Amino acid sequence: MRTRTLLALAGAATALTVATAVPSSAAAGAVLTKGSVGGTDVGVGDTLTAPLASGTTATLYSSATGTSGVSCKTSQFTAKVTSNPAAPGTATESVTGHTFDASSCTSNVTGVLGVSSIVIDNLPYTATVTSAGALTVTPPSGTTIQTTVKLNTLLGTVTCVYRAASLTGTAGNSDSSISFTNQQFTKFSGSTLCFANGYFTAKYAPVTDAGTRVYVN
């Protein structure tokens, strides 16, 4: 009887270990979840969107420390989730849209009367997000991340084209945000009214999946 009791206890202990190990693994969840940290996994194929964080602007300034350039109050990005592995790991997205409302944009560059349009070229881009919150955006092979800015001047509309090899940013869970700070673009073409370098800064929040906030795990 004693031998059977010990065997029964050993079997129960083994079953308990297996039972508790499975939920522990499942609880880890994916890199991207919605509703909360560790919440429901974001599905592959889901579309994520985010406007500028309330009260902020997206800026393209001529220097990292200056305030001369273009500022916009309305901008939005759209991305499709292409992979979302278990955390810790790296999720990937296809950035299919990144728009700026020109009517919300202003410029304080001498000789510039206003902003006609800002267009992000060469989409879609690839974005990766790690469990640590590191965000990287890269263009398709053989291309660059390109921004075309059209400015209204006394002499008519001038077109400024800026390029960057990639962008890096951070994802934050406190407000479901992604932030870019002083990401450098170099002028590819344009008149002398187009500054030589453009430094892009913006914070987008909240990032949502069908209206539900997205978090990084």
Side-chain angles (χ1 to χ4, degrees):
M1 293 295 293
R2 179 177 176 81
T3 300
R4 291 180 180 177
T5 301
L6 289 175
L7 289 175
L9 287 173
T14 300
L16 181 60
T17 300
V18 173
T20 56
V22 173
S24 175
S25 174
V31 175
L32 301 177
T33 59
K34 54 186 177 181
S36 64
V37 174
T40 304
D41 292 354
V42 172
V44 172
D46 285 7
T47 297
L48 310 183
T49 60
L52 285 177
S54 179
T56 70
T57 58
T59 58
L60 187 68
Y61 287 155
S62 59
S63 71
T65 58
T67 57
S68 176
V70 174
S71 176
C72 298
K73 294 181 179 179
T74 303
S75 176
Q76 178 173 295
F77 86 85
T78 304
K80 182 179 180 180
V81 177
T82 53
S83 71
N84 188 23
T90 301
T92 60
E93 303 167 7
S94 176
V95 180
T96 57
H98 191 179
T99 60
F100 296 83
D101 182 357
S103 66
S104 76
C105 302
T106 58
S107 175
N108 58 0
V109 176
T110 302
V112 175
L113 303 178
V115 180
S116 176
S117 65
I118 299 177
V119 177
I120 306 301
D121 305 308
N122 300 333
L123 292 170
Y125 298 146
T126 297
T128 59
V129 185
T130 71
S131 291
L135 172 69
T136 304
V137 181
T138 55
S141 178
T143 68
T144 62
I145 293 178
Q146 180 171 294
T147 301
T148 300
V149 182
K150 292 187 177 182
L151 303 173
N152 299 322
T153 74
L154 291 172
L155 300 178
T157 301
V158 299
T159 301
C160 310
V161 178
Y162 295 93
R163 289 180 172 179
S166 63
L167 302 177
T168 58
T170 57
N173 281 339
S174 62
D175 51 2
S176 297
S177 66
I178 60 170
S179 301
F180 300 96
T181 303
N182 289 331
Q183 295 300 291
Q184 184 176 0
F185 285 77
T186 301
K187 185 176 79 171
F188 173 73
S189 64
S191 77
T192 55
L193 289 176
C194 306
F195 29 91
N197 293 289
Y199 292 83
F200 176 66
T201 297
K203 180 177 183 178
Y204 293 87
V207 179
T208 61
D209 178 355
T212 303
R213 291 195 177 202
V214 174
Y215 298 84
V216 178
N217 302 267

